[in-house]
Amino acid sequence: MEKLTFYALSAPEKLDRIGAYLSERLIRDVGRHRYGYVCIAMEALDQLLMACHCQSINLFVESFLKMVAKLLESEKPNLQILGTNSFVKFANIEEDTPSYHRSYDFFVSRFSEMCHSSHDDLEIKTKIRMSGIKGLQGVVRKTVNDELQANIWDPQHMDKIVPSLLFNLQHVEEAESRSPSPLQAPEKEKENPAELAERCLRELLGRAAFGNIKNAIKPVLIHLDNHSLWEPKVFATRCFKIIMYSIQPQHSHLVIQQLLSHLDANSRSAATVRAGIVEVLSEAAVIAATGSVGPTVLEMFNTLLRQLRLSIDYALTGSYDGAMSLGTKIIKEHEERMFQEAVIKTIGSFASTLPTYQRSEVILFIMSKVPIPSLHHPVETGRTGENRNRLTQIMLLKSLLQVSTGFQCNNMMSALPSNFLDRLLSTALMEDAEIRLFVLEILISFIDRHGNRHKFSTISTLGDISVLKLKVDKCSRQDTVFMKKHSQQLYRHIYLSCKEETNIQKHYEALYGLLALISIELANEEVMVDLIRLVLAVQDVAQVNEENLPAYNRCALYALGAAYLNLISQLTTVPAFCQHIHEVIETRKKEAPYMLPEDVFVERPRLSPNLDGVVIEFLFRQSKISEVLGGSGYNSDRLCLPYIPQLTDEDRLSKRKSIGETISLQVEVESRNSPEKEERVPAEEITYETLKKAIVDSVAVEEQERERRRQVVEKFQKAPFEEIAAHCGARASLLQSKLNQIFEITIRPPPSPSGTITAAYGQPQNHSIPVYEMKFPDLCVY
């Protein structure tokens, strides 16, 4: 070998003939089963290849690759492994001159086939698989950075390389379980095809450029589909963790896009498959958020929300196409529910990694998808009679709650902009108790910026709130502006929520938490006063009971008022105010414990059978509170005014009252507040049929008006000038005659038959008749 190597280095032009001769000998020896000579020939080829890097090496390499291919074609495992080792040595050589005509298609196919070896002997099977993985690694190293070589990123190559690596990666548990003993474990790890496949996959993905990511990811998705690996989702999650940590961070969004497209493509797959894709997407998105996600943020949420709506439709209709047939696949509702929970979890986990500005955009985006009921959108029902819009609202509000949890924004104007707050509070007027509870929890998540919400999870009348260790900051200028703009809107919805008959303990706990957090996070002196007025108005609701609320609701409202006023009195630190609240609470403890949270908000509430005769000592008196707070500098005039919620257009969305009732109520309020003393004519009763007729008539009138305008425009465009002038002249004369009649009536009143008119208070006055209207006798001559 020394002489042969020296000769080859001295006469490089002879290298190709040396390679051809060795190749011929090796082929002959393989055919004659002289494997010792085969090993000698391959050793000679390897050493010559390692020593010679001259420009004429390309022809020698052709002979070398021909021999490697011959060995790989053999059925003998040892020859396959020998050929692979030689190819790996060749792959690590950096050639001085490029090759324009070399092809590696055979090697990709053969190495991929070796990766799937199913030899009976476990040890030989492991060696063949590892040789195949090493061979693929060599092909990648040899071609990935050389633009003149065959493009290894083409789908025809990636569709063989990636599944071969995943196949070996998939059997990591099998390789570990057959490890003979703990002492031999380090040695077995070196021979483990799974770890070698993982290293090769990481190296492949790490070398991928922007335009090649798609070709590398698509075979992964197809492999997971073909082998049903989404449902356990353990292997799929592991694969995409390897992918996300191996590729360059700026390419992360391409992987997310591929997963989103794959989720859309599997819209009609089983719920377990879709849930697996979503959970893998969740893991990948959290990793991608640390890099560059770019424009895929809203695309991701849009896809997830679309899949959520489709899942709701599937669960309601029971089929993927909306019509049951013999070949329709039966959909299991509990699996669809599991998928919906997976989507909501993914939305929350991904949103938690986003910066504040992107999170705000996502919140607005989700809120815009929540269907708000109106007269123009009929109720949709599914197979079980459930409201499709209701299920969509619940799922989207759950998603919104996930996104808003932990949301930190110093400026409430940015956290709760008007368009978002209006839509959110509109859903708070719905009849569904579950939806109202979600709205309250979402508001609490936004307002709580110092982590105080868990301290108000239970309603109680603590004697000293210092044990809560509340984190309180001074209300900022931006928060003051926010409350000036939206405070009445918030108070109104809190007030209306308290009057709901379907409220349960969770609703009152959420209302208490919302009131307490507004007092801590957003309160100045004016807000404190308004909140006290609001809670006293809630106490009046329980006392007067115009809504015919059950006993539990009335006791809950009394208890809610007691707990909040106990809290607010200690926050204001006005001794006289605290004393009054303390006295009423002590009186209730002795004689009316059913009006305190400790007896109401328990598993078995103790209620009073008769709440109509509540004595004044049990109530918080507005006059007393106004007096004691007024002496401490608070606005006593405002405290004396009872709180009355404003009626707005949002009442039309409420299912507590119909539109007719709302309008009638507004008419009634106007009549009560009118300064005029005379009796008004009773207003016509407005019913659903009246409104329907009015809507239909208004549409007909609009059509007629539109047609009339079209005719006028057409007339003025096409009619001759004389006709237009005559028409306008006739209208002018008609207008003048009407004006003359009006002036004549307004200038002088019509004459009374008696010649006198009756002025105010019944006093007669003489009426002077104009001279030209006087009737003179016939004998009078001028």
Side-chain angles (χ1 to χ4, degrees), residues 30 206 252 284 556 657 728:
V30 169
S252 300
K657 294 180 179 295
C728 293

Side-chain angles (χ1 to χ4, degrees), residues 349-365:
S349 62
F350 181 49
S352 63
T353 64
L354 296 176
T356 302
Y357 73 94
Q358 280 189 329
R359 208 165 173 183
S360 300
E361 291 178 0
V362 169
I363 288 169
L364 291 174
F365 180 74

Side-chain angles (χ1 to χ4, degrees), residues 397-398 400-402 404-405 424 434-448 453 506-507 509-511 514 517:
L397 289 174
K398 274 187 179 180
L400 199 58
L401 181 60
Q402 287 282 336
S404 62
T405 301
L424 181 64
E434 189 176 1
I435 291 177
R436 295 201 311 273
L437 184 59
F438 277 127
V439 173
L440 292 173
E441 290 178 349
I442 290 168
L443 284 172
I444 288 173
S445 295
F446 279 110
I447 295 175
D448 180 30
R453 62 178 299 178
K506 288 184 178 179
H507 290 86
E509 289 173 351
L511 287 166
L514 182 58
L517 289 171

